[in-house]
């Protein structure tokens, strides 16, 4: 009796997870698969704890009423509609792509439209900036909730002076309309130029501007490339030890 009640209630919850436009045939398949999983779970519980009540989740499901399920479904539909509206607004403002800004004037215009921004300040011909570009281009399509863009530092004299940018590349993170964080050079990205996209994703997520499924307390594992006399090579080429370039323009 207890199993049948749990099966009925969980099947009803499974119905809530099925897209509204899904066909009747596909709904039936999902529900039948759910029934198999429920039976398997029920048997596991009986083996592990015979004679004891089923876990609290099953107990809660047994006591759900039909009107509760209707409310839950309405909330889900409302949430999906609201999320879709946000996505449409994001795409309208250029989210989902890594865009080039003409100058700092356009940067301020974007700031008025988009509360969450990841902006890369770069200089033409800088190899380290190209590395950052390749990673941000990937992340822009993955995290459409934030606006990913870049602007030439030489075309941003006011911001360069106001934000005291001395090292290229510099990534400025804006969260809810305010400057939240800076990623200066590669010192936070493994201190080398061959870090992975997941490393930059992890670092950006620490500021809260994008979501992250992993553990923010644990830095992603990376494979380092070792070079002979790397420090001397950096000094000769005008780079900082972390691979970034010092801005000589005040």
């Amino acid at each position: 009796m207890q199993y049948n009640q749990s099966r009925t209630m969980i099947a009803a919850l499974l119905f809530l997870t099925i897209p509204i436009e899904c066909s009747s045939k596909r709904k039936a398949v999902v529900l039948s698969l759910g029934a198999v999983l429920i039976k398997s779970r029920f048997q596991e519980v009986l083996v592990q704890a015979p004679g004891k009540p089923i876990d609290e989740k099953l107990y809660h499901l047994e006591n759900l009423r039909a009107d509760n399920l209707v409310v839950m479904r309405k909330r889900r539909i409302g949430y999906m509609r609201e999320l879709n509206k946000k996505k449409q607004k994001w795409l309208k403002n250029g989210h989902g792509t890594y865009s080039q800004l003409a100058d700092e004037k356009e940067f301020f215009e974007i700031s008025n439209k988009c509360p969450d921004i990841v902006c890369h300040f770069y200089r033409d011909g800088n190899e380290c900036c190209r590395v950052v570009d390749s990673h941000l281009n990937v992340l822009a399509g993955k995290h459409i909730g934030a606006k990913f863009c870049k602007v030439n530092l030489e075309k941003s004299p006011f911001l360069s002076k106001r934000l005291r940018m001395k090292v290229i590349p510099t990534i400025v993170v804006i969260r809810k309309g305010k400057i939240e964080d800076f990623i200066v050079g590669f010192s936070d990205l493994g201190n080398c130029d061959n870090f992975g996209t997941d490393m930059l994703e992890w670092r950006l997520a620490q500021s809260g501007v994008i979501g992250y499924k992993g553990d923010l307390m644990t830095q992603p594992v990376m494979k380092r490339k070792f070079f002979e006399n790397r420090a001397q090579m950096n000094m000769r080429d005008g780079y900082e030890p972390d691979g970034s370039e010092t801005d000589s323009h005040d």
Side-chain angles (χ1 to χ4, degrees), residues 220-234:
V221 178
M222 64 175 294
K223 296 181 180 179
R224 293 176 177 271
K225 293 180 181 178
F226 293 95
F227 300 91
E228 293 183 1
N229 300 321
R230 180 60 184 270
Q232 288 84 347
M233 181 184 69
N234 289 336

Side-chain angles (χ1 to χ4, degrees), residues 120-123 126 128-129 153 160 163-171 183-187 239-240 242-249:
H120 171 209
F121 287 84
Y122 73 97
R123 179 173 287 119
N126 185 285
C128 295
C129 291
L153 186 66
S160 175
L163 301 179
R164 299 178 181 179
M165 296 185 194
K166 298 294 182 181
V167 175
I168 296 299
T170 290
I171 299 175
I183 302 177
V184 181
F186 294 161
S187 58
Y239 291 94
E240 291 293 299
D242 66 349
S244 55
E245 178 184 347
T246 303
D247 185 7
S248 59
H249 302 281

